[in-house]
Amino acid sequence: TDATATPPPTEEGPSDPCSRDDGAVAYSPIRSLVMPRNGLLGAIPSELGLLTNLTVLDLSQNVLASTIPSQLGRISQSLERLHLEENGLTGSLPPELFAGAITLQKLTISSNGLTGRLPTSLGDCESLQRLSIPANQISGSIPTEIGRLSKLESMVFWTNKITGSIPTELGNCHSLHTYSSPDNAMTGPLPTELGRLKNLTIVFAYENMHSGQIPSELGNLPTLEVFNVAINNLSGTLPTEIGRISSLRRFRYFDNKGISGTVPSEITSLPLVEDIWFQNTQLGGSLPSVFHPESSISSIRAGNSAFTGTVPNEVWLLPNLDELEIINTTLTGAPIPDVLPEGNNAGVMRILTLAENGFSGTLPSSIGAFVGLANLLLQDNAFVGDVPSEIGNLRSLQELHIQENGFDSVPPGICNLRNASDGGVLETYISD
């Protein structure tokens, strides 16, 4: 027989499968209630708690405006997927919703107005794989009970009001591949226990108030691709162990003014790293000059840092580099060589910003090789001599800043250059 079929009417009770004469639930055949994008208004009915065989409840992307009724806790032992994202829900997450919820696999309640703390009963959800509650106003700390979720694969709660530190118990979530907590008010160090999560692929913890050092244990993560801890209060040096992560594509730590020392060549020589951004740190020494022969680096940003020396020639050999931004440093010398090395990247460079430094000498005619440049910003340096006529080759140029230097002259007609791609007039800043 079909276990989900509606039982026939009997002499003992009515044929309605969801009710009895005494108001209790006799039988509910409904296993899935999926109603996204239906324009539903008002409150979530507490009577949904009577659907004791419900495994999927999806009321996402409606106009529901209420609290989440605690009566939904009655279906917690059968529910596998709960989707309430993109509504107008308020109030806190009821602890009853998770108590004993051993079958719940996916919980998505993003983009609402939820407040309050994460309930400790989340630790009961032993089958939970995805926890997604971003874009709410949830406060308090992450409960340590989260460490009981051995099957958790994705934990996403950006843009809330979460405080406290990342619990060390997170290191027990061995299935975790995505951790995303940016734009909160979290503090404390990045736990070394992250190095135990061998499946970890993505870490977003930027725009918080984390302190301490970047743990060297991250070097134990064989599949890590993205690690973004920018805009925090981190300090110390960059661990060379990061250079063991051959899968790493993005390693971002800018806007951490306590990070100091030099940039390890073990990191810049990784083959898949796409950008090296160290602006607004205390990193110093020479700019990196050791790269992988087939480097994927497309962007270097080194503004407001403590680097010295000049731009190494190896930078001009990065095959995919389309943005070089060096602003407000003590770098000196001639940044662009008179003769670019063979196999240079001038043809792919799109943005070249060398402003507010101590660069000097003449602007070489080799600047004309950068035919794809859209932005050339050289202001506030100590360049001298004539601007070479080869700058007229830059037919894609949209913005040119060469003011606050010691240039003697500019080629005739430079102000009439027109952008080749859209016909727009070039925006130029030539004199003070």
Side-chain angles (χ1 to χ4, degrees), residues 39-233:
L40 299 177
L41 301 168
I44 297 176
S46 60
E47 290 81 1
L48 290 179
L50 302 177
L51 304 179
T52 54
N53 285 302
L54 199 65
T55 61
V56 179
L57 177 59
D58 186 346
L59 304 177
S60 60
Q61 296 177 284
N62 282 290
V63 200
L64 297 170
S66 69
T67 59
I68 299 174
S70 61
Q71 289 85 347
L72 291 185
R74 298 175 184 172
I75 60 175
S76 63
Q77 296 188 18
S78 64
L79 203 61
E80 296 177 2
R81 303 199 325 252
L82 177 60
H83 300 281
L84 300 175
E85 65 266 28
E86 297 183 43
N87 278 285
L89 301 176
T90 57
S92 59
L93 290 168
E96 297 87 347
L97 187 60
F98 309 111
I102 60 174
T103 60
L104 187 63
Q105 299 173 16
K106 295 183 179 180
L107 174 65
T108 307
I109 318 182
S110 58
S111 301
N112 280 282
L114 297 176
T115 56
R117 304 171 68 93
L118 295 174
T120 58
S121 57
L122 271 172
D124 291 353
C125 305
E126 60 184 44
S127 299
L128 193 63
Q129 299 171 8
R130 178 174 177 80
L131 172 60
S132 180
I133 52 173
N136 281 284
Q137 300 180 52
I138 293 173
S139 58
S141 58
I142 301 172
T144 58
E145 287 80 2
I146 208 80
R148 290 157 47 188
L149 306 181
S150 61
K151 296 181 180 178
L152 188 64
E153 298 176 358
S154 177
M155 183 177 180
V156 180
F157 50 96
W158 44 262
T159 311
N160 275 282
K161 297 180 179 179
I162 303 290
T163 57
S165 58
I166 300 173
T168 58
E169 290 80 2
L170 191 67
N172 298 326
C173 301
H174 299 298
S175 300
L176 194 68
H177 61 70
T178 299
Y179 172 85
S180 180
S181 64
D183 192 19
N184 278 282
M186 298 186 67
T187 57
L190 304 173
T192 60
E193 287 78 6
L194 290 176
R196 290 159 41 185
L197 302 176
K198 302 300 184 182
N199 294 303
L200 197 60
T201 303
I202 296 173
V203 174
F204 288 132
Y206 58 90
E207 290 189 54
N208 279 283
M209 293 181 285
H210 290 299
S211 57
Q213 299 190 28
I214 296 175
S216 60
E217 287 78 4
L218 294 176
N220 299 327
L221 302 179
T223 62
L224 188 64
E225 296 182 11
V226 178
F227 186 79
N228 190 337
V229 290
I231 317 175
N232 275 284
N233 297 321

Side-chain angles (χ1 to χ4, degrees), residues 216 219 237-249 251 253 262-273 275-276 287-293 295 297:
S216 60
T237 58
L238 299 177
T240 58
E241 289 82 357
I242 299 296
R244 299 204 300 253
I245 312 173
S246 59
S247 58
L248 194 62
R249 294 187 296 108
F251 179 44
Y253 45 85
T262 60
V263 180
S265 59
E266 291 87 349
I267 296 176
T268 60
S269 58
L270 286 169
L272 301 181
V273 166
D275 50 55
I276 47 177
L287 279 176
S289 60
V290 179
F291 306 104
H292 192 275
S295 175
I297 294 174

